[in-house]
Amino acid sequence: MSDSYDVIVIGAGPAGYPAAIRAGQHGLKVACLDEWKNLDGSHSFGGTCLNAGCIPSKALLESSELVHRAHAEFATHGIRLTTVEVDLAQMQKRKAGIVKTSSQGIQVLFKGAKVTGLPGHGRLLPGRQVEHSAPDGTKTVLQAKHVVLASGSTPMALSSAPFDGERIVDSWGALEFAAVPKRLGVIGAGVIGLELGSVWRRLGAEVVMLEALESFLPMTDQQLAKEALRHLKKQGLDIRLGAKVTGAVVKGGVVEVSFADAKGAQSLSVDKLVVAIGRRPQTAGLLADGTGVALDERGFIRVDNDCRTGAENIWAVGDCVRGPMLAHKGKEEGLMVADRIAGQHAEVNYKTIPAVIYTAPEIAWVGQTEEQVKATGRPYKTGVFPFLASGRARAMESTQGFAKVIAATDDDEILGVHIIGPLAGELIAEAVLAMEYSASTEDLQRTIHAHPTLSEALHEAALAADRIAIDIPNR
Ligand SMILES: Cc1cc2nc3c(=O)[nH]c(=O)nc-3n(C[C@H](O)[C@H](O)[C@H](O)COP(=O)(O)OP(=O)(O)OC[C@H]3O[C@@H](n4cnc5c(N)ncnc54)[C@H](O)[C@@H]3O)c2cc1C
């Protein structure tokens, strides 16, 4: 029967499309459904990450960082520019091109793995059936041996500052501005808010960030968070902590934002307001009655450690289930599920999921923060190496930040690595691999790092944990 599959995946974001491809690589008959609609109404695969998240944000972060460097650093390098002009239309065109090529790439990959990509909505019915509603309205019921739910997440709205799609926008809207706003408000100084705020600040906007929490980046190692806050404020991001937004109205072409902080009721006028207060799982219209799939109290699809929902042969992966909302976490879950469906053993090591914030300097970490380790009561040691002491960082004119290693005193096992500095997002990969193999600081100390590279900072931080660093004094 042509409408019968071994595996049907609902959602072709970074969790769903790798699951579909891996299942195809196992020789299974696979369909992957996705209803994503671009702003022009066209369809594309890749989900939030590729169309409105990771990729377009990094494209604009890269372009805007070059603008910043041209203004702030080129003269130090001995490069004189008389003017630096920003052509935002070209920047946006470049970004759109990258997104388009990447999405088309998924179709090529589907073809290679013999996955049937089906644009349109998918709804799980009882008995492992999936109702597919095609963009032309045609409905078909498909049968599967296994179904993988990978429906992702959507931006959370704030009732006191409702989206209007024009002046008050979500993170996607903030990636699409056709002009640099003179004054930009960002509600939420989390990962997404900081990245978007950085883009528009570097392009010349005055950026005010209102964060309801009193602490900055509470999930990160606080030594790192303190350093980050210092650098970001220096760049002109006006980050206000403990600022709770109470209302936002559009009046005369500007957004009047009211908020309360330690000083009492305050107000702010901005040209655009971005609401970046987090994301919630996307499950609307996904589950018919009687499927046996349950949601938890926060709306996430309930799964066990192996991403089984509890309904026979129904799995769920990515942002729609518990755990950090990160593309690479979803990808590993998708691959694990596809391998398990094919009868192989596979698992995800949730203790070694790296996190990266693509500000300048970049922020990246894996494992436990010093605060978390301290709370366990286990004796530990730390080693910190500043990029100021790195020859490569000095040559790059990027000496901000440090690498920090936290390890157990008893058996020397590395418990966490935290980096703020140039290309921290790339450097953290070595720490992830080290922790995946339960490495000790001695393993890192005895691993040869090429000179002069930024990666030497991690080597030296591991040496510093035992007070035997070479390129900094040991205290
Ligand atoms: C601005 C921004 C920047 C980000 N940057 C990063 C980053 O640098 N690194 C990182 O790791 N993460 C980043 N993220 C988070 C990342 O985008 C998500 O973690 C990731 O996209 C989750 O993948 P997913 O496959 O679970 O869901 P999604 O990417 O949300 O994909 C789900 C797909 O399922 C489709 N779908 C949903 N329901 C149905 C249905 N019933 N039928 C058919 N299709 C359906 C949706 O249309 C969508 O295409 C960023 C997010 C944003 C918003």
Side-chain angles (χ1 to χ4, degrees), residues 11 13-15 34-35 47-49 53-54 58 121-122 151-152 319 325-328:
D34 196 294
E35 66 182 355
T48 305
C49 174
C54 325
K58 269 74 233 177
H121 183 79
S151 54
D319 276 14
M325 287 182 158
L326 292 169
H328 44 279

Side-chain angles (χ1 to χ4, degrees), residues 33 44 68 82 151 165 217 244 252 274 318 349 392-393 409 418 442 456:
L33 282 58
S44 63
H68 168 75
T82 39
S151 54
L217 294 176
K244 293 187 182 68
V274 184
N349 183 356
R392 183 66 193 275
T409 316
H418 306 269
E442 188 181 352
E456 286 173 294

